[in-house]
Amino acid sequence: MQVTRKTFDEVMVPNYAPSDIIPVRGQGSRLWDQQGKEYLDLACGIAVTGLGHCHPKLVAALTEQANQLWHLSNVMTNEPALKLASTLVDKTFADRVFFCNSGAEANEAAFKLARKHASAKYGPHKHQIIAFYNAFHGRTLFTVSVGGQAKYTQGFEPLPGGITHLPYNDVEALRAAVGEQTCAVVLEPMQGEGGLTPATPEFIKTARELCDQHNALLIFDEVQTGNGRTGTLFAYEQFGVTPDVLSTAKGLGGGFPLGAMLATKEAAASLAFGTHGSTYGGNPLACAVGHASLEELSSAALLANVRARSEQLREGLLGIGQRTGLLTGVRGMGLLIGAPVAEAWKGKAKELVNAGLRHGVWTLVAGPDVLRVAPPLNISEADLAEGLRRLEAGCSELVAA
Ligand SMILES: *Cc1c(COP(=O)(O)O)cnc(C)c1O
């Protein structure tokens, strides 16, 4: 069957507007499209394929499991899920793990846990979830409601209630809002979709203190910042603050759908038998890949590469900004870096992405004004340099046009 980009408009719901390019093969940091054109992948399918495409250890884990056992449901547990959960417990603050298939589902579980925890221990009045403007937590009705971007909830009302939004990094607003009615404070240690804004250490520390003071759970959404992306296995390690609950997905499965909610033993106890579930969550295929992926992502050599390539990427983007005048600086952590576009290009970050694609490099936006670069965590110095050269060629062309 011949399929092209035109087929998309004929058979798919129009909620996406994908590029004209259809990649058909990937290897390491590179992709090839239907016409055989090569791209350096500095996007990783939105910070997902952290070990690049078709990593031999992930391919081996997936094919081995594919020949053994695919699915059981939660009526029976399975070895890959137990191994992955044990590894997550070993390597993080968490004592307990719940598996699901996406970031939104991991957050849905976290928010439901927070409500259940507070209502069981303190009563139903304690149901306020405190969240932040520009946050992104997924696209289910509960997660768009907790997320702080009105464009994602418009037209879907009535929305779930009991959610308060505050400005991110505003310590005073946080102090004023958290109280006896609060069941959870949920935040991304660095806002991803919202434009690559890291939390200030004071903001994170204050959130922890206030949650302790008012018996609320501190939930970190590390769907995007987790799994080595920021240079430590999870970003919270760099703030020296531990959450009660953490959601993750994206990089965990390296491209295979896999999400997880991590929790302390105390918090986890609230999701008692029968209170929550997922048919595919903890699926053997996903967990076998996740286990192989986590072993690689937590290696000292890989995390050292993230930090070294982060410096290279920051310098490279600053250089492109200085030479073309298109970018005004860099921000972010590890290999999740944002470069705000110059005043004249406000609202047009997507044009930079398209120019890069014409020159064989794939990057992303984070909102309309920020170019986002999220390369594979194991990318070589030479491949990253080549990707930056191609991006600069695209930017120079835009400026000249
Ligand atoms: C991508 C993302 C999500 C949603 O993940 P899905 O797998 O698309 O449901 C949630 N939170 C953050 C911080 C994300 O970046």
Side-chain angles (χ1 to χ4, degrees):
M1 193 197 290
Q2 273 298 106
V3 290
T4 65
R5 172 62 180 79
K6 196 167 157 280
T7 317
F8 183 93
D9 297 330
E10 291 162 359
V11 301
M12 305 286 270
V13 168
N15 62 317
Y16 303 122
S19 153
D20 288 339
I21 298 154
I22 301 186
V24 292
R25 192 165 67 83
Q27 191 62 57
S29 302
R30 287 179 163 75
L31 285 167
W32 290 269
D33 72 10
Q34 287 178 319
Q35 282 71 41
K37 180 173 168 176
E38 180 204 275
Y39 300 86
L40 252 302
D41 180 358
L42 305 188
C44 284
I46 316 192
V48 169
T49 49
L51 297 171
H53 298 280
C54 298
H55 188 284
K57 289 194 180 159
L58 302 199
V59 173
L62 181 61
T63 48
E64 194 183 315
Q65 190 60 41
N67 283 304
Q68 213 150 348
L69 180 71
W70 286 28
H71 179 79
L72 290 168
S73 86
N74 45 54
V75 176
M76 292 193 186
T77 190
N78 66 78
E79 290 185 356
L82 296 173
K83 285 180 190 166
L84 175 58
S86 301
T87 308
L88 283 167
V89 165
D90 274 355
K91 293 183 186 296
T92 69
F93 75 97
D95 310 307
R96 296 289 185 269
V97 180
F98 168 80
F99 287 121
C100 51
N101 315 286
S102 68
E105 285 174 89
N107 282 323
E108 186 83 20
F111 305 159
K112 283 180 70 180
L113 181 152
R115 285 271 172 88
K116 198 79 174 170
H117 181 78
S119 92
K121 289 188 82 161
Y122 308 99
H125 70 282
K126 192 174 178 66
H127 66 244
Q128 180 197 37
I129 294 175
I130 291 184
F132 300 93
Y133 293 117
N134 277 323
F136 184 79
H137 299 301
R139 295 292 204 112
T140 65
L141 196 59
F142 200 176
T143 55
V144 284
S145 303
V146 176
Q149 304 187 49
K151 65 180 178 192
Y152 294 140
T153 52
Q154 268 154 19
F156 295 112
E157 300 85 354
L159 304 175
I163 301 162
T164 303
H165 291 100
L166 306 176
Y168 190 69
N169 277 338
D170 187 333
V171 172
E172 287 320 306
L174 191 58
R175 280 192 201 287
V178 181
E180 285 317 304
Q181 73 290 350
T182 309
C183 72
V185 174
V186 51
L187 62 91
E188 298 160 86
M190 167 166 68
Q191 289 193 330
E193 302 304 305
L196 288 310
T197 311
T200 63
E202 193 198 358
F203 181 62
I204 293 236
K205 287 202 175 75
T206 306
R208 178 71 275 174
E209 280 165 24
L210 292 168
C211 285
D212 289 341
Q213 220 172 313
H214 297 282
N215 297 314
L217 296 180
L218 181 59
I219 303 174
F220 286 170
D221 179 344
E222 292 227 33
V223 171
Q224 189 158 170
T225 55
N227 309 298
R229 185 48 65 187
T230 65
T232 45
L233 186 57
F234 288 97
Y236 76 82
E237 298 165 42
Q238 294 175 55
F239 291 93
V241 170
T242 313
D244 302 293
V245 178
L246 180 150
S247 55
T248 193
K250 289 205 167 92
L252 183 59
F256 202 97
L258 173 59
M261 178 188 68
L262 315 185
T264 61
K265 188 176 171 195
E266 205 264 309
S270 302
L271 276 193
F273 175 68
T275 54
H276 191 56
S278 162
T279 296
Y280 288 126
N283 167 280
L285 288 171
C287 290
V289 176
H291 190 245
S293 163
L294 193 59
E295 290 289 315
E296 290 297 304
L297 292 170
S298 54
S299 91
L302 182 108
L303 294 172
N305 191 60
V306 174
R307 296 191 283 265
R309 297 288 75 75
S310 179
E311 289 308 309
Q312 184 189 355
L313 177 56
R314 284 168 179 274
E315 280 170 29
L317 289 171
L318 283 174
I320 293 174
Q322 279 154 9
R323 290 186 293 274
T324 64
L326 275 186
L327 306 171
T328 59
V330 288
R331 60 185 189 225
M333 298 168 76
L335 285 177
L336 191 51
I337 298 293
V341 298
E343 197 58 39
W345 291 84
K346 280 265 163 72
K348 298 189 204 163
K350 187 80 200 194
E351 287 190 31
L352 275 67
V353 172
N354 290 336
L357 284 170
R358 288 197 289 278
H359 288 265
V361 62
W362 186 19
T363 56
L364 298 165
V365 296
D369 305 332
V370 178
L371 181 76
R372 171 171 36 165
V373 187
L377 308 184
N378 57 1
I379 194 169
S380 67
E381 185 174 359
D383 279 357
L384 184 54
E386 176 60 19
L388 286 164
R389 262 194 296 280
R390 294 182 190 186
L391 183 62
E392 179 155 2
C395 288
S396 303
E397 184 187 78
L398 270 190
V399 176

